Amino acid sequence: MSEVQPQLIEARDLSKSFVSGNREIRVLSGVDLSLSAASRVSIRGESGSGKTTLLNLLAGIERPDRGELFWDGIPIQSLSAARLTRERGRQIGMVFQSYYLIPELNALENVLIAGQIMGLQRKRELRAAAEALLDEVGLSDRLKSRPEQLSGGERQRVALARALMNRPRVLLADEPTGNLDEVTARRVMDIILQTVDRQDIALVLVTHNPNFANEMPERYTLREGVLEK
Amino acid sequence: MPWYLYLALRQLFPAGRWLGSSFFILSVIGVALGVAVLVVVQSVMGGFGEVHRERIVDTTGHLEVSANGRPFSRYEGMLERLREDPKVAAAMPYAQGFVMARSGRTPLFPQVYGIDLSDTPVFAIEEYLVSGNLADLYDDTVLISSNLASRLGVWVGSEVEVFSPTLIDNLDGEEMVLPSSFEVAGIYEIEWNQEFTPGMVFSLRTMQDLYDLNQSIHGIAVRLIDGVDEYQFAEALRAEYPVWSIITWRERWADFLWVLDLEKTMMLFINLFIVAVAVFAIAVAQLLMVVRKTREIGLLNVMGARRREIPMIYCIQGFFIGLIGLGLGISLAMSLLSVRGPIIRFLADVSGTQDALTRFYYFSNLPVSYQTSDFVIISCAAVTLSTLASLIPALRAARMQPATSIRIEQ
Ligand SMILES: Nc1ncnc2c1ncn2[C@@H]1O[C@H](COP(=O)(O)OP(=O)(O)O)[C@@H](O)[C@H]1O
Ligand SMILES: [Mg+2]
């Protein structure tokens, strides 16, 4: 095994504080994490423990106060804001607890727009790719449905297809089943696991559900700003 | 199609709603109403101006040849020259001045004209006669404006006494000063242009007698064939006869025409505020939309949208609303103007002012003139204003940080 192969994401000693009023809240203090294509990571932690903050740091949405972050060997601190945004679009897919679908677009358009924003593929290929992804998440018969016409589980599946549209190498999922009932959550979780396996994507799953967390080979808990095995 | 254009249009026309979002419909109606007001007012003002200009040309011709206001007598050569010119429709010698006119006890001081009717008249007075007959204008009869006629209380067939300034010159003599007496042969009425209408029209010979002019006149009024450029014609004539004073009607009435234009421009300016109000309402609605969509906007950024692309969504929407509102507003205005007659009659009937309207404003036949320049200005203004107004929400969206935007929970 070659050791020069860079990690998809390499985080070293990430720290982050927020100033709220005149008080400084230390959310993360010295987090290390590295992800390869085979990584299946779960992160648990109490509400407010900094899970979302960590994902945002990994996605380059927020900047750490201290520490280093590499995507595929690129130190992202060195990138301009514009480059960083484009690089994120290429490398990282994200899903959120509340889906964040665009209400005026139907399912197909919600997936397509991710591809159009990045413009990595040609128009005809985009449409085929979006339809294939929606098929993969089991929504090939709901292409024209608007988000308000879809159930929570279906919306999250659309959001998943959207996150995968630009063939990212890492999927960051922030409590993706947090708004779903048990049966639907299981269904969505299975689809997430199947697709990351099939597409060979690293997965970071933030969840409150101990069953889902335990299914991951690599499990962490975030406590007092530190990531514990 | 770039994705932000697609998203901008999709937000205006969400999937499954062919008429567009209510935001879009209301915004377009707002712009359309503002544009409609602009078009209606500008077209009507343009119509007023057009009528005034037509009346001026009808009564004074396109240009006049004179000796700087002094009477002159050796004009036959010039008159011949003009009448033979193929570009000239009519050339007419005239004399002008003021008299005191009296019928009963009221003296009035109208401006009067003496015109030579032997050839085609430049002053198309026959078209404006409301009673009497042009053929009855002899040396002892007079045509009189409807305005003056009603103030003097005379009608066709009445007698009017006229005192000319030359009578006053003769006062130092021993002779008795007697006014000349004229019978009213006809009454003319020039709508819209009462101020500039001469009060009385005599035959040229009578006017020359009244003013002791002998064979002299004050000028030659010239009407050109349709389509001849009066500036070029005047320039050529000036080059040919440098000592004569040759003035086009636009030069002579420059001040008045300027006021007409100013009036119209002021109305345009004032009514633009109606569009501005509509456009600000749109900006407010869009701003609320931006705030409501904070998370989605943050997400677009997370998905890799470039910094300038997100504000484009809102500018495009402003542009489209402006464009469609403009089209709708122009159609609305043209439809309203095409049925203006019935509308005005209805309003006049309802308010019981039918008589007043027709008598004073001639609204029963509201003139309208569509000018390309008006449409260009209104179009640019509507589209630019609504695009500019949407810059406010657009900049707000551009300032959003994705980290804080996507954190906002439902
Ligand atoms: N922009 C911010 N400004 C101030 N405090 C923040 C900000 N973002 C997050 N926090 C705080 O950081 C802590 C961690 O938040 P978060 O990462 O969302 O936790 P979790 O996702 O584990 O519930 C919380 O106490 C939260 O209030
Ligand atoms: Mg969270």
Side-chain angles (χ1 to χ4, degrees):
Chain A
M1 199 166 145
S2 145
E3 52 150 4
V4 289
Q5 176 81 36
Q7 298 290 322
L8 291 181
I9 290 187
E10 176 83 53
R12 288 189 208 134
D13 194 27
L14 292 184
S15 296
K16 181 78 181 174
S17 306
F18 290 109
V19 182
S20 158
N22 48 15
R23 229 159 47 87
E24 188 178 293
I25 312 164
R26 196 166 183 90
V27 181
L28 299 174
S29 44
V31 171
D32 295 309
L33 187 69
S34 65
L35 300 174
S36 65
S39 295
R40 301 287 179 269
V41 176
S42 74
I43 298 175
R44 296 174 65 190
E46 285 171 17
S47 177
S49 58
K51 307 181 294 296
T52 297
T53 306
L54 177 57
L55 288 194
N56 283 351
L57 287 181
L58 294 177
I61 294 169
E62 282 177 78
R63 300 243 174 199
D65 301 333
R66 207 183 63 211
E68 289 173 299
L69 180 66
F70 300 88
W71 288 347
D72 221 5
I74 309 165
I76 70 155
Q77 298 88 320
S78 67
L79 299 179
S80 68
R83 265 297 302 286
L84 178 67
T85 302
R86 301 301 285 175
E87 206 57 44
R88 179 197 311 125
R90 199 189 308 271
Q91 304 269 1
I92 291 169
M94 292 183 91
V95 288
F96 306 89
Q97 181 173 355
S98 350
Y99 330 122
Y100 298 167
L101 296 180
I102 296 170
E104 293 89 358
L105 302 182
N106 63 33
L108 179 63
E109 292 166 335
N110 261 293
V111 178
L112 264 176
I113 197 164
Q116 290 165 333
I117 286 175
M118 288 305 294
L120 302 175
Q121 303 160 71
R122 261 179 297 156
K123 214 179 152 206
R124 204 171 310 140
E125 295 167 3
L126 276 179
R127 200 187 161 88
E131 282 178 8
L133 279 167
L134 282 165
D135 189 31
E136 207 166 326
V137 298
L139 288 175
S140 48
D141 54 343
R142 306 303 304 270
L143 301 184
K144 299 278 175 211
S145 304
R146 269 173 290 138
E148 66 184 36
Q149 299 166 321
L150 297 171
S151 70
E154 289 168 330
R155 288 185 210 183
Q156 194 59 291
R157 279 140 67 191
V158 174
L160 175 65
R162 177 178 67 183
L164 300 174
M165 186 61 194
N166 291 306
R167 312 216 150 279
R169 313 195 47 197
V170 180
L171 180 67
L172 304 178
D174 193 353
E175 302 187 36
T177 58
N179 279 355
L180 304 176
D181 65 76
E182 219 173 306
V183 180
T184 316
R186 181 72 256 172
R187 173 104 204 272
V188 168
M189 201 58 231
D190 287 342
I191 291 175
I192 291 178
L193 293 173
Q194 283 164 22
T195 41
V196 292
D197 280 346
R198 204 175 308 148
Q199 306 203 3
D200 206 22
I201 298 173
L203 171 67
V204 179
L205 176 73
V206 167
T207 183
H208 280 300
N209 185 319
N211 297 333
F212 296 160
N214 288 333
E215 286 166 29
M216 298 290 150
E218 212 176 321
R219 295 180 290 276
Y220 296 99
T221 305
L222 198 52
R223 199 170 287 135
E224 314 215 316
V226 182
L227 212 47
E228 297 173 354
K229 272 266 182 196
Chain B
M1 189 192 300
W3 66 269
Y4 45 85
L5 175 57
Y6 188 79
L7 184 56
L9 295 182
R10 259 281 177 257
Q11 285 185 347
L12 297 183
F13 303 95
R17 291 195 55 171
W18 64 273
L19 242 183
S21 64
S22 35
F23 158 72
F24 172 73
I25 295 170
L26 292 175
S27 306
V28 162
I29 290 176
V31 174
L33 290 178
V35 166
V37 169
L38 272 175
V39 171
V40 167
V41 171
Q42 288 302 294
S43 305
V44 170
M45 294 296 285
F48 286 179
E50 202 73 340
V51 168
H52 274 114
R53 282 184 267 272
E54 250 170 52
R55 295 294 183 263
I56 290 174
V57 171
D58 274 359
T59 49
T60 67
H62 290 103
L63 45 102
E64 59 181 38
V65 178
S66 70
N68 285 314
R70 287 187 305 277
F72 57 100
S73 54
R74 295 169 64 187
Y75 61 88
E76 268 79 15
M78 177 58 111
L79 193 59
E80 276 306 289
R81 148 85 184 75
L82 286 169
R83 282 181 173 164
E84 275 163 17
D85 194 310
K87 288 180 182 159
V88 172
M92 178 188 79
Y94 69 86
Q96 67 179 63
F98 287 89
V99 297
M100 182 174 103
R102 201 171 67 177
S103 171
R105 304 207 61 82
T106 351
L108 290 168
F109 301 87
Q111 193 185 12
V112 296
Y113 268 76
I115 60 178
D116 176 12
L117 290 169
S118 57
D119 209 38
T120 327
V122 167
F123 182 4
I125 196 164
E126 195 152 25
E127 288 174 26
Y128 298 100
L129 279 183
V130 288
S131 66
N133 208 326
L134 186 62
D136 292 338
L137 182 60
Y138 301 117
D139 293 352
D140 56 353
T141 57
V142 65
L143 302 176
I144 186 164
S145 80
S146 61
N147 190 16
L148 185 66
S150 70
R151 283 160 67 197
L152 286 172
V154 296
W155 197 236
V156 174
S158 311
E159 292 282 319
V160 181
E161 290 181 332
V162 172
F163 301 76
S164 73
T166 41
L167 283 179
I168 298 162
D169 280 350
N170 294 338
L171 272 179
D172 52 349
E174 256 93 87
E175 301 172 48
M176 266 270 281
V177 175
L178 284 176
S180 319
S181 186
F182 294 90
E183 188 188 326
V184 175
I187 294 176
Y188 55 87
E189 180 165 296
I190 299 169
E191 301 175 355
W192 299 102
N193 211 9
Q194 298 287 7
E195 257 84 325
F196 306 102
T197 307
M200 296 175 135
V201 173
F202 297 101
S203 73
L204 180 61
R205 197 150 10 113
T206 309
M207 189 63 193
Q208 283 168 336
D209 284 349
L210 280 172
Y211 261 72
D212 264 347
L213 288 170
N214 298 320
Q215 295 304 308
S216 296
I217 59 169
H218 285 113
I220 303 171
V222 181
R223 176 192 290 278
L224 298 173
I225 303 277
D226 278 349
V228 175
D229 183 300
E230 71 252 17
Y231 280 111
Q232 281 172 13
F233 186 86
E235 275 308 308
L237 207 58
R238 278 177 199 133
E240 205 179 328
Y241 300 96
V243 292
W244 295 78
S245 157
I246 295 153
I247 299 174
T248 67
W249 69 277
R250 281 182 204 277
E251 289 160 344
R252 180 159 173 211
W253 299 96
D255 288 348
F256 176 66
L257 295 174
W258 182 79
V259 170
L260 274 187
D261 280 347
L262 181 72
E263 245 174 4
K264 194 170 164 228
T265 312
M266 287 309 292
M267 291 306 282
L268 174 74
F269 184 70
I270 291 166
N271 286 321
L272 266 180
F273 280 92
I274 298 178
V275 177
V277 168
V279 150
F280 266 100
I282 296 171
V284 169
Q286 265 188 321
L287 201 58
L288 291 176
M289 203 157 77
V290 166
V291 172
R292 194 158 49 80
K293 291 185 177 300
T294 299
R295 284 174 301 133
E296 290 146 33
I297 292 169
L299 189 86
L300 292 171
N301 202 303
V302 168
M303 289 194 295
R306 294 184 172 90
R307 228 183 152 63
R308 62 180 161 73
E309 289 173 332
I310 291 170
M312 283 300 280
I313 297 171
Y314 299 95
C315 289
I316 288 170
Q317 288 179 349
F319 174 80
F320 261 87
I321 289 168
L323 202 64
I324 295 173
L326 173 72
L328 208 68
I330 289 178
S331 324
L332 179 66
M334 305 276 257
S335 325
L336 282 177
L337 287 173
S338 71
V339 292
R340 61 188 183 277
I343 291 179
I344 287 163
R345 247 163 279 144
F346 172 76
L347 289 178
D349 283 349
V350 167
S351 60
T353 51
Q354 172 82 66
D355 285 353
L357 279 180
T358 39
R359 191 142 31 89
F360 295 110
Y361 299 104
Y362 310 99
F363 263 175
S364 57
N365 180 21
L366 189 67
V368 161
S369 155
Y370 299 114
Q371 254 137 25
T372 319
S373 60
D374 288 340
F375 284 92
V376 171
I377 292 171
I378 293 170
S379 304
C380 292
V383 175
T384 313
L385 278 178
S386 60
T387 311
L388 279 184
S390 61
L391 271 181
I392 302 165
L395 292 176
R396 177 82 206 297
R399 274 209 323 272
M400 284 182 179
Q401 296 298 322
T404 34
S405 316
I406 59 170
R407 266 184 186 276
I408 293 175
E409 294 297 328
Q410 276 182 317

